[in-house]
Amino acid sequence: MKARIVSIPVLDQEHALRFYTEKLGFIKKVDVPLGGQNRWLTVVSPEDLDGAEILLEPGPLHFEPAKIYQKALYDAGMPYTQFDSSDVQADFERLRELGVEFSVEPTVMGTVKIAVFDDTCGNNMQIVEML
């Protein structure tokens, strides 16, 4: 088994697409209208174009438990998911220059360095560097 698609709940798919491509540097992979304002919308890392896709999932707009879960994680400061980084400090500085807000600055925790940022879509995201 391997992960092919990872869903991230978002409140506004167009806003999420701009953040994940313009700020984080991901590339749009699939964009298929599903009816209404919903799209099957995925992005991928430019470092792994055939790797796992991130589905920008509008679930919180249509499924109340998803909305409650997302808000609870966000309010608690817990990351929804994490992305690997080869240099958390460099990514932190690059993203901060682009206006990304961090709730946790680069911090060594045992064998990893982490930082946590707000994806402006209702989620905290963690970047992790193995030391």
Side-chain angles (χ1 to χ4, degrees):
M1 278 191 261
K2 68 179 186 179
R4 187 78 200 133
I5 296 176
V6 177
S7 295
I8 294 177
V10 299
L11 301 171
D12 178 332
Q13 286 186 299
E14 190 57 38
H15 173 78
L17 178 61
R18 285 193 307 274
F19 182 85
Y20 277 81
T21 57
E22 295 172 11
K23 302 279 185 176
L24 300 185
F26 287 97
I27 297 171
K28 182 168 67 173
K29 176 91 175 196
V30 177
D31 188 358
V32 177
L34 296 176
Q37 300 295 320
N38 302 308
R39 300 148 65 183
W40 184 265
L41 180 58
T42 69
V43 295
V44 294
S45 168
E47 299 171 15
D48 192 8
L49 297 175
D50 294 321
E53 297 175 46
I54 298 170
L55 174 63
L56 303 173
E57 167 66 52
L61 296 175
H62 309 293
F63 187 56
E64 189 64 18
K67 185 176 185 178
I68 292 168
Y69 178 67
Q70 181 188 33
K71 184 175 183 327
L73 286 177
Y74 184 83
D75 290 347
M78 295 181 64
Y80 187 84
T81 194
Q82 67 182 34
F83 301 118
D84 285 347
S85 169
S86 59
D87 187 337
V88 165
Q89 186 66 42
D91 284 335
F92 166 78
E93 291 171 9
R94 179 181 64 82
L95 293 173
R96 192 170 59 179
E97 285 293 317
L98 293 171
V100 175
E101 294 183 16
F102 282 78
S103 58
V104 177
E105 295 192 0
T107 304
V108 173
M109 300 181 75
T111 59
V112 297
K113 182 184 286 185
I114 68 156
V116 178
F117 64 88
D118 184 338
D119 78 349
T120 71
C121 302
N123 308 294
N124 294 300
M125 294 294 171
Q126 182 169 274
I127 51 176
V128 178
E129 173 186 352
M130 298 301 293
L131 300 176

